[in-house]
Amino acid sequence: MISNLFIPSLILRFLKSVILELWLILMQAKLPPQKEYCTILDTQDHWEAQTLTVWRQADKHKIPRICFLNKMDKTGASFNYAVESIKEKLKAKPLLLQLPIGEAKTFKGVVDVVNKEKLLWNPNSDDGKDFERKPLLEMSDPKLLKETTEARNALIEQVADLDDEFADLVLGEFSENFDLLPAEKLQTAIHRVTLAQTAVPVLCGSALKNKGVQPLLDAITMYLPSPEERSYEFLQWYKGDLCALAFKVLHDKQRGPLVFMRIYSGMIKPQLAIHNINGNCTERISRLLLPFADQHIEIPSLTAGNIALTVGLKHTATGDTIVSSKSSALAAARRAEREGEKKHRQNGDAERLLLAGVEVPEPVFFCTIEPPSVAKQPDLDHALKCLQREDPSLKVRLDPDSGQTILCGMGELHIEILHDRIKREYGLETYLGPLQVAYRETILNSVRATDTLDRNLGDRRHLVTVELEAKPVETSSIVPVIEYAENVSEDILKGSQEAIENGIHSACLQGPLLGSPIQDVAITLHSLIIHPGTSSTMISACVSRCVQKALKKADKQVLEPLMNLEVTVTRDHLSAVLADLAQRRGSIQEIQTRQDNRVVVGFVPLAEIMGYSTVLRTLTSGSAAFALELCNYHAMSPQDQSTLLSRRSGLT
């Protein structure tokens, strides 16, 4: 138990930020996390959009969790409203394990519903260390005892409805008097219900003053699962060999890259050679550390269920899967394939588990970045390489026409933070170009094209003739769908297929209208004639040129990123917000009511929402909040497309 442990408020705030960041990474991984999840919620009317996003990820990966209702001492705090919000917004069944003693300025402690005790914190103590636990008595707290007894009876009935074993116990021995039910029996049943994810335990307190933090830590150890209680089918394929997920990378100036790993099976030791499945490379761990916040303790080994900090891995990136050797990975793949055949599954399921990674959406913003001088370009390249290892959502590419370095990110704030980190951590004063929206292009009709490349290099003649067809596809596809006609010889494909596909992929990186990537396109190769001695580079070049010729002949369409938008605004400012969204080509789907606020739900093009936070603050006197999420890429209207092309060409 950790009830008497002193937890500084800075630690809880640090825990909250680390939990959100860590679990956003872990829960997006195709290998699920081994542990539990604690959600820290606000007792006032505004919840962060990140809370809902993380909760949906927890649902997706079936993560057991508990809720901590924070800021109970803040003006406007409402325990009952927060509980109702859990039901309404998170669609969860709350199990009230605590009740607050007072709210806002009168908040002074919590009631332990399970044990019928009250925990009171010293009002003169700001660190939360000084508190006492007292049983509720009829003589001293008649009203509070009555409320707690009613809440405990309701909790017992709720848990009995969700757990058959506990229901049999209650109906058999304690049906006449719930007060006789031992707290240990109820706690065990709550633990089972939490693991089954049929309900969510709810606690409350104030992190700033550390009120309620100690019982929260007790609840984490009591109700959430340990690694031994989580079983994964893929672990049997490794037969006890090492299987770990690299979920975070940091760069230390003295020690180099530090890789955080979650160990699923096996053991990690210093000087151990490991194999990276995603990077298909073998590296050696030089040192093994156990992280305690910013303190790192060197250890001789670490087993499954733990988080390890490794030193010496120069190629491992966020989201990579680590195993003991390449042969271990191949053996696991064979076992998975045999298991899949027994259960009539597709092999893709096994591949997905073995090749785990972080699912990151495609970037929607990009801008140029330049060093202060040409001499600093290698330093900038090194900084961007390190940042890409840490952050998979960051993409860096080189513009083939201008030679400039292009940063591609998830939003304005994302790119601003990266810019600041380059200055702060690497000492580089870089210059950012104007932020631009990452458009896409597609075609509207089928076209055929033929191209011939005939070059003499030295004493060798390189001759290729290609005929292919480009056509639109109905299903959304970021990469081109490549098909081969029946008359294309298999002998030609054996030696040239990789060169052909490289040429097609390179041609689709830049469309004919804006130079944006092409999507939703299928390329069918109808004919390929290759002169003996022709290099694969020439084949790729000819195929790429032929694809570009076909794309230019087709009717073209610009696709723009369409965002899901949710604006929470007071009734007084609703009309101003709606009028502003109408000017931004927004499409309103519905207007919901949440207490005294209105929630506007709709779609809006990303190009129209740049700088929206400043405008929204001005329109609503800072009272509104909004959340954005990429929905899909949507075809622009002919008028909007014409305006965009004219602006890009400098005509307007």
PDB file of all heavy atoms in Angstrom, residues 189-223:
ATOM      1  N   ALA A 189     -14.051  -8.066  -6.681  1.00  0.00           N
ATOM      2  CA  ALA A 189     -15.050  -8.026  -7.756  1.00  0.00           C
ATOM      3  C   ALA A 189     -14.838  -6.805  -8.649  1.00  0.00           C
ATOM      4  O   ALA A 189     -14.969  -6.890  -9.886  1.00  0.00           O
ATOM      5  CB  ALA A 189     -16.458  -8.014  -7.162  1.00  0.00           C
ATOM      6  N   ILE A 190     -14.514  -5.646  -8.050  1.00  0.00           N
ATOM      7  CA  ILE A 190     -14.243  -4.440  -8.843  1.00  0.00           C
ATOM      8  C   ILE A 190     -13.035  -4.668  -9.744  1.00  0.00           C
ATOM      9  O   ILE A 190     -13.012  -4.223 -10.903  1.00  0.00           O
ATOM     10  CB  ILE A 190     -14.025  -3.233  -7.910  1.00  0.00           C
ATOM     11  CG1 ILE A 190     -15.326  -2.884  -7.168  1.00  0.00           C
ATOM     12  CG2 ILE A 190     -13.542  -2.015  -8.694  1.00  0.00           C
ATOM     13  CD1 ILE A 190     -15.164  -1.841  -6.094  1.00  0.00           C
ATOM     14  N   HIS A 191     -12.029  -5.368  -9.228  1.00  0.00           N
ATOM     15  CA  HIS A 191     -10.847  -5.690 -10.031  1.00  0.00           C
ATOM     16  C   HIS A 191     -11.235  -6.519 -11.259  1.00  0.00           C
ATOM     17  O   HIS A 191     -10.785  -6.235 -12.378  1.00  0.00           O
ATOM     18  CB  HIS A 191      -9.852  -6.464  -9.158  1.00  0.00           C
ATOM     19  CG  HIS A 191      -8.622  -6.906  -9.886  1.00  0.00           C
ATOM     20  ND1 HIS A 191      -7.630  -6.048 -10.275  1.00  0.00           N
ATOM     21  CD2 HIS A 191      -8.230  -8.147 -10.307  1.00  0.00           C
ATOM     22  CE1 HIS A 191      -6.681  -6.723 -10.900  1.00  0.00           C
ATOM     23  NE2 HIS A 191      -7.019  -7.995 -10.927  1.00  0.00           N
ATOM     24  N   ARG A 192     -12.093  -7.521 -11.069  1.00  0.00           N
ATOM     25  CA  ARG A 192     -12.530  -8.357 -12.203  1.00  0.00           C
ATOM     26  C   ARG A 192     -13.333  -7.541 -13.206  1.00  0.00           C
ATOM     27  O   ARG A 192     -13.158  -7.687 -14.423  1.00  0.00           O
ATOM     28  CB  ARG A 192     -13.369  -9.539 -11.692  1.00  0.00           C
ATOM     29  CG  ARG A 192     -12.579 -10.606 -10.955  1.00  0.00           C
ATOM     30  CD  ARG A 192     -13.384 -11.907 -10.865  1.00  0.00           C
ATOM     31  NE  ARG A 192     -14.634 -11.704 -10.142  1.00  0.00           N
ATOM     32  CZ  ARG A 192     -14.790 -11.890  -8.835  1.00  0.00           C
ATOM     33  NH1 ARG A 192     -13.763 -12.281  -8.093  1.00  0.00           N
ATOM     34  NH2 ARG A 192     -15.967 -11.704  -8.249  1.00  0.00           N
ATOM     35  N   VAL A 193     -14.213  -6.676 -12.716  1.00  0.00           N
ATOM     36  CA  VAL A 193     -15.037  -5.850 -13.610  1.00  0.00           C
ATOM     37  C   VAL A 193     -14.156  -4.881 -14.400  1.00  0.00           C
ATOM     38  O   VAL A 193     -14.380  -4.651 -15.597  1.00  0.00           O
ATOM     39  CB  VAL A 193     -16.098  -5.084 -12.784  1.00  0.00           C
ATOM     40  CG1 VAL A 193     -16.759  -4.005 -13.629  1.00  0.00           C
ATOM     41  CG2 VAL A 193     -17.150  -6.049 -12.256  1.00  0.00           C
ATOM     42  N   THR A 194     -13.147  -4.327 -13.746  1.00  0.00           N
ATOM     43  CA  THR A 194     -12.232  -3.399 -14.429  1.00  0.00           C
ATOM     44  C   THR A 194     -11.462  -4.112 -15.526  1.00  0.00           C
ATOM     45  O   THR A 194     -11.305  -3.583 -16.638  1.00  0.00           O
ATOM     46  CB  THR A 194     -11.251  -2.778 -13.422  1.00  0.00           C
ATOM     47  OG1 THR A 194     -11.986  -2.171 -12.356  1.00  0.00           O
ATOM     48  CG2 THR A 194     -10.383  -1.721 -14.091  1.00  0.00           C
ATOM     49  N   LEU A 195     -10.984  -5.328 -15.241  1.00  0.00           N
ATOM     50  CA  LEU A 195     -10.262  -6.086 -16.256  1.00  0.00           C
ATOM     51  C   LEU A 195     -11.161  -6.482 -17.415  1.00  0.00           C
ATOM     52  O   LEU A 195     -10.719  -6.539 -18.566  1.00  0.00           O
ATOM     53  CB  LEU A 195      -9.646  -7.339 -15.633  1.00  0.00           C
ATOM     54  CG  LEU A 195      -8.181  -7.238 -15.191  1.00  0.00           C
ATOM     55  CD1 LEU A 195      -7.980  -6.133 -14.178  1.00  0.00           C
ATOM     56  CD2 LEU A 195      -7.692  -8.559 -14.639  1.00  0.00           C
ATOM     57  N   ALA A 196     -12.440  -6.746 -17.099  1.00  0.00           N
ATOM     58  CA  ALA A 196     -13.392  -7.098 -18.160  1.00  0.00           C
ATOM     59  C   ALA A 196     -13.836  -5.885 -18.962  1.00  0.00           C
ATOM     60  O   ALA A 196     -14.486  -6.036 -20.003  1.00  0.00           O
ATOM     61  CB  ALA A 196     -14.614  -7.785 -17.552  1.00  0.00           C
ATOM     62  N   GLN A 197     -13.496  -4.669 -18.473  1.00  0.00           N
ATOM     63  CA  GLN A 197     -13.816  -3.405 -19.143  1.00  0.00           C
ATOM     64  C   GLN A 197     -15.309  -3.187 -19.318  1.00  0.00           C
ATOM     65  O   GLN A 197     -15.765  -2.576 -20.287  1.00  0.00           O
ATOM     66  CB  GLN A 197     -13.103  -3.331 -20.485  1.00  0.00           C
ATOM     67  CG  GLN A 197     -11.596  -3.402 -20.375  1.00  0.00           C
ATOM     68  CD  GLN A 197     -10.935  -3.780 -21.660  1.00  0.00           C
ATOM     69  OE1 GLN A 197     -11.179  -3.155 -22.683  1.00  0.00           O
ATOM     70  NE2 GLN A 197     -10.093  -4.804 -21.620  1.00  0.00           N
ATOM     71  N   THR A 198     -16.089  -3.706 -18.355  1.00  0.00           N
ATOM     72  CA  THR A 198     -17.534  -3.466 -18.376  1.00  0.00           C
ATOM     73  C   THR A 198     -17.909  -2.229 -17.574  1.00  0.00           C
ATOM     74  O   THR A 198     -19.033  -1.752 -17.674  1.00  0.00           O
ATOM     75  CB  THR A 198     -18.286  -4.691 -17.821  1.00  0.00           C
ATOM     76  OG1 THR A 198     -17.723  -5.056 -16.550  1.00  0.00           O
ATOM     77  CG2 THR A 198     -18.166  -5.872 -18.775  1.00  0.00           C
ATOM     78  N   ALA A 199     -16.984  -1.703 -16.770  1.00  0.00           N
ATOM     79  CA  ALA A 199     -17.211  -0.478 -16.005  1.00  0.00           C
ATOM     80  C   ALA A 199     -15.863   0.138 -15.662  1.00  0.00           C
ATOM     81  O   ALA A 199     -14.809  -0.497 -15.825  1.00  0.00           O
ATOM     82  CB  ALA A 199     -18.010  -0.759 -14.735  1.00  0.00           C
ATOM     83  N   VAL A 200     -15.901   1.388 -15.186  1.00  0.00           N
ATOM     84  CA  VAL A 200     -14.684   2.143 -14.903  1.00  0.00           C
ATOM     85  C   VAL A 200     -14.726   2.684 -13.477  1.00  0.00           C
ATOM     86  O   VAL A 200     -15.631   3.454 -13.147  1.00  0.00           O
ATOM     87  CB  VAL A 200     -14.522   3.315 -15.895  1.00  0.00           C
ATOM     88  CG1 VAL A 200     -13.250   4.088 -15.597  1.00  0.00           C
ATOM     89  CG2 VAL A 200     -14.522   2.823 -17.321  1.00  0.00           C
ATOM     90  N   PRO A 201     -13.781   2.303 -12.594  1.00  0.00           N
ATOM     91  CA  PRO A 201     -13.721   2.897 -11.263  1.00  0.00           C
ATOM     92  C   PRO A 201     -13.445   4.402 -11.345  1.00  0.00           C
ATOM     93  O   PRO A 201     -12.644   4.843 -12.173  1.00  0.00           O
ATOM     94  CB  PRO A 201     -12.556   2.166 -10.594  1.00  0.00           C
ATOM     95  CG  PRO A 201     -12.398   0.900 -11.369  1.00  0.00           C
ATOM     96  CD  PRO A 201     -12.783   1.235 -12.767  1.00  0.00           C
ATOM     97  N   VAL A 202     -14.103   5.168 -10.475  1.00  0.00           N
ATOM     98  CA  VAL A 202     -13.966   6.624 -10.487  1.00  0.00           C
ATOM     99  C   VAL A 202     -13.515   7.097  -9.111  1.00  0.00           C
ATOM    100  O   VAL A 202     -14.122   6.749  -8.091  1.00  0.00           O
ATOM    101  CB  VAL A 202     -15.297   7.312 -10.875  1.00  0.00           C
ATOM    102  CG1 VAL A 202     -15.168   8.820 -10.779  1.00  0.00           C
ATOM    103  CG2 VAL A 202     -15.718   6.897 -12.279  1.00  0.00           C
ATOM    104  N   LEU A 203     -12.442   7.890  -9.082  1.00  0.00           N
ATOM    105  CA  LEU A 203     -11.949   8.519  -7.859  1.00  0.00           C
ATOM    106  C   LEU A 203     -11.845  10.020  -8.101  1.00  0.00           C
ATOM    107  O   LEU A 203     -11.954  10.478  -9.241  1.00  0.00           O
ATOM    108  CB  LEU A 203     -10.592   7.942  -7.459  1.00  0.00           C
ATOM    109  CG  LEU A 203     -10.553   6.430  -7.186  1.00  0.00           C
ATOM    110  CD1 LEU A 203     -10.112   5.687  -8.442  1.00  0.00           C
ATOM    111  CD2 LEU A 203      -9.617   6.107  -6.039  1.00  0.00           C
ATOM    112  N   CYS A 204     -11.606  10.795  -7.034  1.00  0.00           N
ATOM    113  CA  CYS A 204     -11.571  12.238  -7.200  1.00  0.00           C
ATOM    114  C   CYS A 204     -10.524  12.846  -6.278  1.00  0.00           C
ATOM    115  O   CYS A 204     -10.018  12.187  -5.360  1.00  0.00           O
ATOM    116  CB  CYS A 204     -12.944  12.852  -6.937  1.00  0.00           C
ATOM    117  SG  CYS A 204     -13.551  12.606  -5.256  1.00  0.00           S
ATOM    118  N   GLY A 205     -10.202  14.120  -6.524  1.00  0.00           N
ATOM    119  CA  GLY A 205      -9.237  14.806  -5.692  1.00  0.00           C
ATOM    120  C   GLY A 205      -8.722  16.060  -6.352  1.00  0.00           C
ATOM    121  O   GLY A 205      -9.308  16.568  -7.317  1.00  0.00           O
ATOM    122  N   SER A 206      -7.603  16.554  -5.851  1.00  0.00           N
ATOM    123  CA  SER A 206      -6.966  17.761  -6.372  1.00  0.00           C
ATOM    124  C   SER A 206      -5.471  17.504  -6.487  1.00  0.00           C
ATOM    125  O   SER A 206      -4.772  17.390  -5.486  1.00  0.00           O
ATOM    126  CB  SER A 206      -7.224  18.953  -5.449  1.00  0.00           C
ATOM    127  OG  SER A 206      -6.439  20.058  -5.841  1.00  0.00           O
ATOM    128  N   ALA A 207      -4.974  17.426  -7.710  1.00  0.00           N
ATOM    129  CA  ALA A 207      -3.560  17.114  -7.926  1.00  0.00           C
ATOM    130  C   ALA A 207      -2.660  18.244  -7.448  1.00  0.00           C
ATOM    131  O   ALA A 207      -1.546  18.001  -6.982  1.00  0.00           O
ATOM    132  CB  ALA A 207      -3.310  16.842  -9.409  1.00  0.00           C
ATOM    133  N   LEU A 208      -3.124  19.491  -7.554  1.00  0.00           N
ATOM    134  CA  LEU A 208      -2.287  20.627  -7.173  1.00  0.00           C
ATOM    135  C   LEU A 208      -1.905  20.579  -5.699  1.00  0.00           C
ATOM    136  O   LEU A 208      -0.764  20.851  -5.328  1.00  0.00           O
ATOM    137  CB  LEU A 208      -3.023  21.935  -7.480  1.00  0.00           C
ATOM    138  CG  LEU A 208      -2.233  23.217  -7.235  1.00  0.00           C
ATOM    139  CD1 LEU A 208      -1.015  23.278  -8.138  1.00  0.00           C
ATOM    140  CD2 LEU A 208      -3.116  24.441  -7.450  1.00  0.00           C
ATOM    141  N   LYS A 209      -2.861  20.216  -4.858  1.00  0.00           N
ATOM    142  CA  LYS A 209      -2.603  20.128  -3.411  1.00  0.00           C
ATOM    143  C   LYS A 209      -2.365  18.679  -2.959  1.00  0.00           C
ATOM    144  O   LYS A 209      -2.252  18.414  -1.772  1.00  0.00           O
ATOM    145  CB  LYS A 209      -3.802  20.703  -2.640  1.00  0.00           C
ATOM    146  CG  LYS A 209      -4.131  22.153  -2.971  1.00  0.00           C
ATOM    147  CD  LYS A 209      -3.134  23.094  -2.350  1.00  0.00           C
ATOM    148  CE  LYS A 209      -3.505  24.545  -2.645  1.00  0.00           C
ATOM    149  NZ  LYS A 209      -4.729  24.969  -1.982  1.00  0.00           N
ATOM    150  N   ASN A 210      -2.298  17.749  -3.914  1.00  0.00           N
ATOM    151  CA  ASN A 210      -2.087  16.325  -3.613  1.00  0.00           C
ATOM    152  C   ASN A 210      -3.179  15.740  -2.728  1.00  0.00           C
ATOM    153  O   ASN A 210      -2.921  14.846  -1.927  1.00  0.00           O
ATOM    154  CB  ASN A 210      -0.717  16.103  -2.961  1.00  0.00           C
ATOM    155  CG  ASN A 210       0.409  16.253  -3.961  1.00  0.00           C
ATOM    156  OD1 ASN A 210       0.401  15.625  -5.014  1.00  0.00           O
ATOM    157  ND2 ASN A 210       1.346  17.115  -3.656  1.00  0.00           N
ATOM    158  N   LYS A 211      -4.378  16.211  -2.875  1.00  0.00           N
ATOM    159  CA  LYS A 211      -5.499  15.637  -2.132  1.00  0.00           C
ATOM    160  C   LYS A 211      -6.120  14.533  -2.984  1.00  0.00           C
ATOM    161  O   LYS A 211      -6.598  14.780  -4.083  1.00  0.00           O
ATOM    162  CB  LYS A 211      -6.545  16.711  -1.824  1.00  0.00           C
ATOM    163  CG  LYS A 211      -6.047  17.799  -0.888  1.00  0.00           C
ATOM    164  CD  LYS A 211      -7.117  18.848  -0.627  1.00  0.00           C
ATOM    165  CE  LYS A 211      -6.613  19.929   0.321  1.00  0.00           C
ATOM    166  NZ  LYS A 211      -7.644  20.971   0.563  1.00  0.00           N
ATOM    167  N   GLY A 212      -6.113  13.314  -2.488  1.00  0.00           N
ATOM    168  CA  GLY A 212      -6.659  12.184  -3.228  1.00  0.00           C
ATOM    169  C   GLY A 212      -5.651  11.432  -4.062  1.00  0.00           C
ATOM    170  O   GLY A 212      -6.002  10.438  -4.704  1.00  0.00           O
ATOM    171  N   VAL A 213      -4.381  11.874  -4.063  1.00  0.00           N
ATOM    172  CA  VAL A 213      -3.373  11.223  -4.896  1.00  0.00           C
ATOM    173  C   VAL A 213      -2.962   9.870  -4.313  1.00  0.00           C
ATOM    174  O   VAL A 213      -2.803   8.885  -5.038  1.00  0.00           O
ATOM    175  CB  VAL A 213      -2.141  12.139  -5.053  1.00  0.00           C
ATOM    176  CG1 VAL A 213      -1.024  11.416  -5.791  1.00  0.00           C
ATOM    177  CG2 VAL A 213      -2.524  13.398  -5.787  1.00  0.00           C
ATOM    178  N   GLN A 214      -2.817   9.797  -2.984  1.00  0.00           N
ATOM    179  CA  GLN A 214      -2.401   8.539  -2.353  1.00  0.00           C
ATOM    180  C   GLN A 214      -3.416   7.420  -2.572  1.00  0.00           C
ATOM    181  O   GLN A 214      -3.042   6.314  -2.990  1.00  0.00           O
ATOM    182  CB  GLN A 214      -2.148   8.768  -0.855  1.00  0.00           C
ATOM    183  CG  GLN A 214      -0.975   9.693  -0.567  1.00  0.00           C
ATOM    184  CD  GLN A 214      -1.364  11.169  -0.563  1.00  0.00           C
ATOM    185  OE1 GLN A 214      -2.471  11.527  -0.957  1.00  0.00           O
ATOM    186  NE2 GLN A 214      -0.455  12.021  -0.104  1.00  0.00           N
ATOM    187  N   PRO A 215      -4.727   7.655  -2.323  1.00  0.00           N
ATOM    188  CA  PRO A 215      -5.692   6.586  -2.639  1.00  0.00           C
ATOM    189  C   PRO A 215      -5.785   6.274  -4.133  1.00  0.00           C
ATOM    190  O   PRO A 215      -6.132   5.158  -4.510  1.00  0.00           O
ATOM    191  CB  PRO A 215      -7.022   7.124  -2.089  1.00  0.00           C
ATOM    192  CG  PRO A 215      -6.824   8.567  -1.842  1.00  0.00           C
ATOM    193  CD  PRO A 215      -5.364   8.759  -1.577  1.00  0.00           C
ATOM    194  N   LEU A 216      -5.456   7.235  -4.995  1.00  0.00           N
ATOM    195  CA  LEU A 216      -5.419   6.958  -6.431  1.00  0.00           C
ATOM    196  C   LEU A 216      -4.339   5.928  -6.747  1.00  0.00           C
ATOM    197  O   LEU A 216      -4.575   4.976  -7.504  1.00  0.00           O
ATOM    198  CB  LEU A 216      -5.167   8.255  -7.205  1.00  0.00           C
ATOM    199  CG  LEU A 216      -4.835   8.090  -8.700  1.00  0.00           C
ATOM    200  CD1 LEU A 216      -6.011   7.484  -9.456  1.00  0.00           C
ATOM    201  CD2 LEU A 216      -4.432   9.425  -9.320  1.00  0.00           C
ATOM    202  N   LEU A 217      -3.153   6.102  -6.168  1.00  0.00           N
ATOM    203  CA  LEU A 217      -2.072   5.139  -6.397  1.00  0.00           C
ATOM    204  C   LEU A 217      -2.425   3.772  -5.823  1.00  0.00           C
ATOM    205  O   LEU A 217      -2.093   2.729  -6.403  1.00  0.00           O
ATOM    206  CB  LEU A 217      -0.779   5.661  -5.788  1.00  0.00           C
ATOM    207  CG  LEU A 217      -0.229   6.952  -6.410  1.00  0.00           C
ATOM    208  CD1 LEU A 217       0.993   7.427  -5.653  1.00  0.00           C
ATOM    209  CD2 LEU A 217       0.106   6.747  -7.865  1.00  0.00           C
ATOM    210  N   ASP A 218      -3.119   3.760  -4.675  1.00  0.00           N
ATOM    211  CA  ASP A 218      -3.598   2.487  -4.125  1.00  0.00           C
ATOM    212  C   ASP A 218      -4.553   1.799  -5.096  1.00  0.00           C
ATOM    213  O   ASP A 218      -4.508   0.582  -5.296  1.00  0.00           O
ATOM    214  CB  ASP A 218      -4.305   2.720  -2.786  1.00  0.00           C
ATOM    215  CG  ASP A 218      -3.321   3.053  -1.670  1.00  0.00           C
ATOM    216  OD1 ASP A 218      -2.130   2.736  -1.824  1.00  0.00           O
ATOM    217  OD2 ASP A 218      -3.751   3.621  -0.657  1.00  0.00           O
ATOM    218  N   ALA A 219      -5.453   2.600  -5.694  1.00  0.00           N
ATOM    219  CA  ALA A 219      -6.441   2.032  -6.625  1.00  0.00           C
ATOM    220  C   ALA A 219      -5.774   1.475  -7.871  1.00  0.00           C
ATOM    221  O   ALA A 219      -6.207   0.450  -8.425  1.00  0.00           O
ATOM    222  CB  ALA A 219      -7.469   3.104  -7.006  1.00  0.00           C
ATOM    223  N   ILE A 220      -4.704   2.136  -8.333  1.00  0.00           N
ATOM    224  CA  ILE A 220      -3.983   1.641  -9.512  1.00  0.00           C
ATOM    225  C   ILE A 220      -3.411   0.250  -9.246  1.00  0.00           C
ATOM    226  O   ILE A 220      -3.517  -0.659 -10.076  1.00  0.00           O
ATOM    227  CB  ILE A 220      -2.871   2.635  -9.912  1.00  0.00           C
ATOM    228  CG1 ILE A 220      -3.489   3.909 -10.497  1.00  0.00           C
ATOM    229  CG2 ILE A 220      -1.904   2.002 -10.910  1.00  0.00           C
ATOM    230  CD1 ILE A 220      -2.495   5.002 -10.796  1.00  0.00           C
ATOM    231  N   THR A 221      -2.794   0.081  -8.065  1.00  0.00           N
ATOM    232  CA  THR A 221      -2.213  -1.230  -7.738  1.00  0.00           C
ATOM    233  C   THR A 221      -3.279  -2.277  -7.448  1.00  0.00           C
ATOM    234  O   THR A 221      -3.061  -3.468  -7.659  1.00  0.00           O
ATOM    235  CB  THR A 221      -1.283  -1.111  -6.527  1.00  0.00           C
ATOM    236  OG1 THR A 221      -2.031  -0.622  -5.414  1.00  0.00           O
ATOM    237  CG2 THR A 221      -0.141  -0.159  -6.802  1.00  0.00           C
ATOM    238  N   MET A 222      -4.460  -1.838  -6.978  1.00  0.00           N
ATOM    239  CA  MET A 222      -5.489  -2.781  -6.542  1.00  0.00           C
ATOM    240  C   MET A 222      -6.410  -3.224  -7.676  1.00  0.00           C
ATOM    241  O   MET A 222      -6.793  -4.399  -7.755  1.00  0.00           O
ATOM    242  CB  MET A 222      -6.323  -2.139  -5.426  1.00  0.00           C
ATOM    243  CG  MET A 222      -7.278  -3.090  -4.725  1.00  0.00           C
ATOM    244  SD  MET A 222      -8.160  -2.254  -3.397  1.00  0.00           S
ATOM    245  CE  MET A 222      -6.813  -1.730  -2.350  1.00  0.00           C
ATOM    246  N   TYR A 223      -6.761  -2.304  -8.581  1.00  0.00           N
ATOM    247  CA  TYR A 223      -7.813  -2.607  -9.561  1.00  0.00           C
ATOM    248  C   TYR A 223      -7.298  -2.813 -10.984  1.00  0.00           C
ATOM    249  O   TYR A 223      -7.955  -3.491 -11.775  1.00  0.00           O
ATOM    250  CB  TYR A 223      -8.851  -1.487  -9.567  1.00  0.00           C
ATOM    251  CG  TYR A 223      -9.516  -1.279  -8.227  1.00  0.00           C
ATOM    252  CD1 TYR A 223      -9.457  -0.058  -7.579  1.00  0.00           C
ATOM    253  CD2 TYR A 223     -10.188  -2.325  -7.595  1.00  0.00           C
ATOM    254  CE1 TYR A 223     -10.058   0.137  -6.342  1.00  0.00           C
ATOM    255  CE2 TYR A 223     -10.787  -2.144  -6.362  1.00  0.00           C
ATOM    256  CZ  TYR A 223     -10.717  -0.917  -5.740  1.00  0.00           C
ATOM    257  OH  TYR A 223     -11.307  -0.733  -4.513  1.00  0.00           O
TER     258      TYR A 223
END
